[in-house]
Amino acid sequence: MILVGQYDSPFVRRVGVALTLYGLAFEHRPWSVFGDADKVAALNPLVRVPILVLDDGTALVESHAILDHLDSLVPPEAALFPRGEPDRHRALRIAALATGLGDKAVSLFYEQRLHTEISELWTGRCRMQMAGALAALERDRAERRGAFSFGDRIGHADIAVATVLRFVTEAHPGIVAFADYPALARHCEALEALPAFRQIYQPFIAPA
């Protein structure tokens, strides 16, 4: 398999971390949607990453769809989304809140970086949505006592939260006061210390 995209994207990174935790062999091509747009477009007409090229040449897109496929490659008990309810839909909710936070952080970055006239209405809305997601994630994490959010081992929800929070803090320095989110801060710090997170990492590089 081939994973396309740079690890400073939380969406690419969450797939890379999952592949590593699963022990699935893959090649990494750190193509940029700006500098390598033609190569990315040949695999995904949306010109977005991550892209996972399977052994048969199929190019899967969107991180959640990719992770759903990866879960099908391992035994059910090893899948990083819980199989049983209610933990399954609760984990899906946390992962969706985290990736939604990441989407808003990307939108805010592009609004501030690519436009000569910045919309205060749009940036204010993005910040409001990000704050709402952070508050919800903090409440959820504060209610949990284990090292991981669902069960006794890491899952996709944990990975999504940590990769997105790392992106937010690097792409928007100072926008998140971790003193306001102590449970999230502790959780992310512990996850970032794990070997898979240290291996699958790239500091944020702003597009030229």
Side-chain angles (χ1 to χ4, degrees):
M1 292 184 287
I2 302 170
L3 176 60
V4 176
Q6 298 186 348
Y7 288 147
D8 62 350
S9 160
F11 309 104
V12 178
R13 191 181 180 214
R14 72 186 293 229
V15 174
V17 169
L19 283 163
T20 302
L21 290 172
Y22 278 148
L24 296 171
F26 70 99
E27 176 187 339
H28 179 219
R29 294 184 183 173
W31 294 348
S32 163
V33 296
F34 288 93
D36 304 293
D38 289 345
K39 290 188 288 187
V40 173
L43 296 172
N44 181 3
L46 293 170
V47 197
R48 295 178 61 178
V49 292
I51 303 166
L52 186 68
V53 183
L54 306 184
D55 293 342
D56 67 0
T58 302
L60 296 181
V61 302
E62 300 298 332
S63 61
H64 185 76
I66 293 170
L67 295 179
D68 184 69
H69 173 69
L70 295 183
D71 282 0
S72 75
L73 302 181
V74 300
E77 65 275 10
L80 294 179
F81 269 130
R83 292 295 191 184
E85 297 293 358
D87 277 353
R88 178 169 175 77
H89 74 257
R90 290 172 177 168
L92 287 166
R93 173 180 176 271
I94 295 304
L97 282 171
T99 54
L101 169 62
D103 281 332
K104 289 301 170 181
V106 171
S107 293
L108 180 61
F109 178 84
Y110 286 148
E111 176 68 24
Q112 295 173 328
R113 179 86 176 194
L114 300 182
H115 294 171
T116 54
E117 294 186 13
I118 298 173
S119 169
E120 295 300 327
L121 178 63
W122 180 249
T123 59
R125 182 173 177 81
C126 286
R127 288 174 179 267
M128 178 270 291
Q129 292 169 302
M130 292 168 65
L134 283 164
L137 292 170
E138 172 67 16
R139 285 193 300 270
D140 182 87
R141 184 57 212 174
E143 293 172 355
R144 303 184 185 280
R145 295 292 176 261
F148 304 110
S149 294
F150 299 92
D152 58 359
R153 63 191 182 92
I154 194 171
H156 288 310
D158 300 300
I159 298 168
V161 169
T163 55
V164 166
L165 264 290
R166 185 64 174 258
F167 170 78
V168 170
T169 57
E170 293 191 357
H172 300 283
I175 199 172
V176 177
F178 270 111
D180 297 334
Y181 309 102
L184 279 179
R186 289 191 298 270
H187 188 47
C188 292
E189 181 180 10
L191 291 173
E192 290 288 0
L194 297 176
F197 282 80
R198 296 200 305 269
Q199 177 183 342
I200 308 298
Y201 171 68
Q202 172 188 322
F204 177 69
I205 301 173

